[in-house]
Amino acid sequence: MTDSTRLNPAEEIVLGRDFMTLSQHVLSQFGTFSTESYDLSALMGRIGLAGKTIARHLSRAGLVENVLGVTGEVNVQGEAVKNMDRYANRIFLRAFEQSGLICRLASEEMEKPYYIPENCPIGRYTLLYDPIDGSSNIDVNLAIGSIFSIRQQEGNDESGEALDLLQSGRKQIGAGYILYGTSTMLVYSLGNGVHAFTLDPSIGEFILSQENLHIPTKGSIYSINEGNFWQWEEPMREYVRHLHCQSGNTARYSGALVADFHRILFQGGVFLYPGTVGHLDGKLRLLYESAPLAYLIEQAGGRATTGTQEILDVVPKELHSRTPLIIGSLENVKVVESFLQK
Ligand code: AHG
Ligand code: MN
Ligand code: MN
């Protein structure tokens, strides 16, 4: 009698790998089939759907209308809105309508949070996101990303101002990013390690590719826009001069935070976007760029600081607050802090 419940060992191994999808992995993280585990599994699945849809749009950028180029509008950041910024922003909103999961979405591209009222009585999660990070890379076909942060809604937000979001990054219950690179990857943590998935377009699933990622405690890569050198404060210039005088360092800077962060997470080193004269808080936004990546780096054994305060302890004054960001390997970040705290 043939046993149709099993394949041969090699086929079973392939099945085990191909069936460790994003949603399956979230459930396995909890080890129970609770309401919370199912909610977060479904939530991550919807983030994966948004990522797949954005990746598909990007893959045809040069061939279809309104993927490359700008909309002609300026966003709350005072930056020109790219077609992909607007498209990706809408994809995340659409992914959560009729989901029952998310009541509010706060985005780099929207001045105020977006509410999904039919979800609000039940969906107690808030998604904060940068729909496309590294927008300057879109029109030249270089790597870009999406960054997301998950928080629990606190209170009923009657004012519609989402004031409960103005709390430190320690309030995050999960975070991650999607990297639209040579392959499309999703990296996330729900507080139990950092895990990486690679999109298999042939089955349209993010499949687990690296589990429990740990950043090297030290690395030789530094990632900073040296074009801003003369706008930094002197201690930051001192640190970069120190690197210039050392052998063995490698400079890598792509213009997309997610791509530069991903390299540092896997190979070690440090990414820096310091404040500049006139913009001492720097360029990067706290709630949906720096705080989610700081959450990931601490889960992966690294460190993230403003130079004087851990990123996860910074309390934003408003939804689009900016912060200086120094993030990466523990030893590299501590050397930077030693220069900045002299
Ligand atoms: P976004 O495209 O979401 O506005 O983010 C761009 C950010 C970040 O991705 C990158 O590290 C940084 O801007 C690059 O800034 P500079 O061009 O000033 O170096
Ligand atoms: Mn960004
Ligand atoms: Mn952006």
Side-chain angles (χ1 to χ4, degrees):
M1 186 68 159
T2 56
D3 172 7
S4 301
T5 63
R6 301 285 300 173
L7 300 172
N8 70 44
E11 288 168 325
E12 283 294 331
I13 288 168
V14 171
L15 263 191
R17 185 203 61 204
D18 285 356
F19 277 43
M20 188 42 86
T21 62
L22 186 55
S23 302
Q24 182 61 43
H25 191 264
V26 173
L27 285 176
S28 69
Q29 290 271 295
F30 282 84
T32 64
F33 298 119
S34 63
T35 307
E36 184 192 24
S37 63
Y38 270 117
D39 281 353
L40 288 170
S41 174
L43 197 160
M44 286 304 304
R46 305 300 282 189
I47 289 175
L49 174 63
K52 289 184 271 190
T53 310
I54 293 165
R56 181 186 64 178
H57 206 55
L58 285 167
S59 70
R60 299 178 299 183
L63 303 174
V64 299
E65 293 298 306
N66 295 334
V67 181
L68 303 177
V70 292
T71 63
E73 295 154 340
V74 174
N75 64 14
V76 64
Q77 317 292 338
E79 295 164 349
V81 178
K82 297 284 187 93
N83 281 312
M84 266 315 296
D85 288 324
R86 180 165 64 178
Y87 177 87
N89 191 65
R90 175 65 189 131
I91 291 298
F92 275 93
L93 299 179
R94 187 66 189 80
F96 286 102
E97 285 161 1
Q98 288 105 38
S99 70
L101 292 164
I102 295 269
C103 170
R104 295 176 306 190
L105 295 99
S107 159
E108 178 186 88
E109 299 301 331
M110 302 186 297
E111 186 173 358
K112 298 276 186 202
Y114 179 92
Y115 288 79
I116 307 177
E118 62 273 20
N119 289 352
C120 290
I122 35 173
R124 305 300 293 168
Y125 298 106
T126 297
L127 187 77
L128 301 98
Y129 65 109
D130 178 0
I132 294 290
D133 172 69
S135 304
S136 62
N137 285 353
I138 298 169
D139 294 357
V140 291
N141 195 33
L142 293 177
I144 57 178
S146 302
I147 308 172
F148 59 88
S149 167
I150 305 164
R151 293 189 181 216
Q152 287 273 13
Q153 178 171 325
E154 290 184 6
N156 293 319
D157 188 10
E158 285 93 359
S159 69
E161 294 294 315
L163 297 177
D164 61 299
L165 294 181
L166 302 184
Q167 298 186 71
S168 83
R170 304 274 175 210
K171 287 285 186 180
Q172 295 175 107
I173 60 168
Y177 60 86
I178 300 156
L179 175 60
Y180 310 102
T182 43
S183 63
T184 298
M185 288 187 75
L186 186 147
V187 177
Y188 90 104
S189 177
L190 288 174
N192 189 13
V194 179
H195 316 291
F197 292 73
T198 300
L199 178 61
D200 180 342
S202 67
I203 54 174
E205 286 286 359
F206 280 104
I207 304 297
L208 180 68
S209 41
Q210 284 99 350
E211 199 168 28
N212 294 316
L213 282 165
H214 271 86
I215 184 171
T217 49
K218 190 175 178 192
S220 61
I221 297 168
Y222 71 101
S223 184
I224 191 168
N225 181 348
E226 299 218 25
N228 296 332
F229 187 88
W230 295 108
Q231 300 177 65
W232 298 328
E233 296 184 293
E234 190 52 29
M236 181 55 72
R237 288 189 216 158
E238 275 304 301
Y239 167 68
V240 173
R241 286 192 194 102
H242 155 75
L243 293 178
H244 291 166
C245 299
Q246 266 184 347
S247 66
N249 292 315
T250 300
R252 290 284 185 272
Y253 191 78
S254 77
L257 168 62
V258 167
D260 292 328
F261 176 85
H262 189 78
R263 184 200 300 276
I264 297 290
L265 175 63
F266 278 73
Q267 298 180 344
V270 59
F271 171 92
L272 310 94
Y273 204 109
T276 52
V277 172
H279 298 90
L280 291 179
D281 282 343
K283 172 180 184 180
L284 299 176
R285 280 61 49 148
L286 177 63
L287 280 173
Y288 42 77
E289 288 179 309
S290 300
L293 297 186
Y295 181 92
L296 288 180
I297 209 74
E298 286 205 2
Q299 282 287 320
R303 183 171 173 79
T305 175
T306 63
T308 55
Q309 186 180 15
E310 291 187 7
I311 292 287
L312 288 182
D313 291 330
V314 179
V315 177
K317 293 184 182 62
E318 52 102 21
L319 203 56
H320 301 292
S321 288
R322 298 174 193 252
T323 176
L325 175 65
I326 297 145
I327 190 167
S329 296
L330 193 59
E331 288 188 27
N332 295 68
V333 173
K334 286 208 174 279
V335 169
V336 182
E337 288 175 297
S338 69
F339 277 81
L340 299 187
Q341 292 168 11
K342 261 180 200 163

